[in-house]
Amino acid sequence: MRSLRQRLTVWYTAALLATLLAFGFTLYIDRRISTARELDERLALEASLSAYWLTGSQRVLERLVTPDESGVPKLDPGIAAYFEAFRDYLIVADPEGRPLFISETARALPFVSVQRMIEPLRAMPVQREYGTYTPDPGAGALRYVLQPVSAGGQVGGILVAASFDSIVYGPSALLRSMLVAVPVVLTASLLLGYALGRSMKPLETMVLELEAISDGRSLHRRLPALRTDDEVARLALAANRMFARLEQSFVALHRFIADASHELKTPLMVLRAGVERALTNPRNPPENLEALDNALAEITRMSEMVENLLTLARADEGRAPLSVEACDLRELVNEAVETAGMLAEAEGISVTTRIPEQPVLVNVDRGRMRQLLLNLVTNAVKYTPASGTVGLELDDRGADVMLQVKDTGIGIAPGDLPNIFDRFWRGDPSRSRVGAQPGSGLGLAITKWIAEAHGGNIAVQSRPGRGTTFTVVLPRFAEHPNGVPIS
């Protein structure tokens, strides 16, 4: 469960259930102990009253036992009539443990059960004794008390017994009540937990808004202001203040890059023009020409870097619109192949291509797409050794098209792949082809922006020593991709 609201509901319910079980178990044990105590007190009282009635009757009547019609000794009917009112099991026995009276409730038991109940009377203790036993398998346990009686040698003792279930509100009834109450309480707790979870709704809204603010172009957005004064409201307020500071920093940084790039263009153009004039001056000594050539190369590289910086700065501010028109990508691929061929010819690198025979019409900015292809093929040639191969492929997949630039070059280390599209990032210079001019580290960043600005994406696959493949997927008809205006 990834939702905090769901976890809160589950943990709240689990905690409540554990509390109910602990409370119920404690209450059950306490009720069971108190029930046994109450039952013992009741049985002791009934045994004391019975003993008192027998000893009192013996003093008055001097005769407690009379033979019945078959000559078996029995408790006198007049005395026995008193015991018929007992609701518990009651047995009066002579000193040898033979029953003289069995109450009506005990007589209702099976014969075997009555015989088992009489057994404790055959070993009558000197003092009152408590015990528990089960007269029948599967039946409930009985609690009994043995009460010795001194009544002229006619009666030896009394057994009074009762079931634990005879208590009005015993442990079993309590357990049944708990089993009925627990589902109701859990259902109520789930509803309450869900209601508490709804209080996390502002956090969910904040998370969605924070996920939307994922780049420098969305820092103008703010979290919704809450009218409460709790921690969530203060968190939203602190986050909004942070976004305001970040927005100011990003705007200042982008403005500085754009302004600096724009201001550097003119001096670089002047320097370039001056170096080019010096190179064409016939009076210039030959030993100066090499230095001027190097200076012109560096000026050209700096001019390209400044132009790239200006492009990225405008893209970050959303001021780099695309001039989209229907274009046959085969034409752009063929142009890139020609450029790659000229760059690779001196190094002995072969360039191959595979394009469909039918036109591949896609809505793209022709200039930006040409820049994307040139960046990829230039990199491929730069990092491919002599006698290697660079290939361009174009596939029409219906709803989208796929461009691939493959090479058999030195490849990219696995640790470098996550950073390949970062600005100003360049791999280990020792991995580039000998004599290759180092780049500015902005070409692939611009390539990624161009692909995403057209609603597509770019991916790279590479293995050191086995080459690299860049794959660009573009939708056939893109309209306002990624919030970039298309004109």
Side-chain angles (χ1 to χ4, degrees), residues 371-414:
Q371 185 180 8
L372 179 147
L373 289 170
L374 289 178
N375 284 344
L376 292 179
V377 298
T378 301
N379 263 0
V381 172
K382 181 185 299 185
Y383 293 100
T384 300
S387 70
T389 302
V390 173
L392 279 79
E393 297 182 3
L394 174 62
D395 289 327
D396 189 347
R397 306 196 304 183
D400 54 42
V401 296
M402 182 175 68
L403 286 163
Q404 282 191 328
V405 178
K406 303 179 180 180
D407 64 62
T408 58
I410 58 178
I412 303 171

Side-chain angles (χ1 to χ4, degrees), residues 227-239:
R227 298 182 179 180
T228 59
D229 193 25
D230 54 11
E231 291 80 359
V232 177
R234 293 199 295 272
L235 176 62
L237 184 61

Side-chain angles (χ1 to χ4, degrees), residues 210 219 222-223 235-249:
L210 287 172
L219 290 176
R222 296 292 181 267
L223 300 179
L235 176 62
L237 184 61
N240 285 336
R241 288 197 293 263
M242 179 187 68
F243 286 139
R245 291 193 297 269
L246 286 175
E247 183 183 16
Q248 292 177 358
S249 299

Side-chain angles (χ1 to χ4, degrees), residues 416-468:
D416 293 339
L417 284 175
N419 306 315
I420 196 70
F421 295 108
D422 293 346
R423 299 177 186 183
F424 294 107
W425 184 90
R426 286 183 290 183
D428 186 355
S430 63
R431 297 182 56 83
S432 62
R433 179 166 44 80
V434 177
Q437 181 72 17
S440 63
L442 295 174
L444 289 179
I446 291 180
T447 300
K448 183 174 183 290
W449 167 73
I450 294 173
E452 293 179 350
H454 284 84
N457 60 79
I458 183 171
V460 58
Q461 293 179 331
S462 182
R463 294 182 63 183
R466 298 194 178 183
T468 303

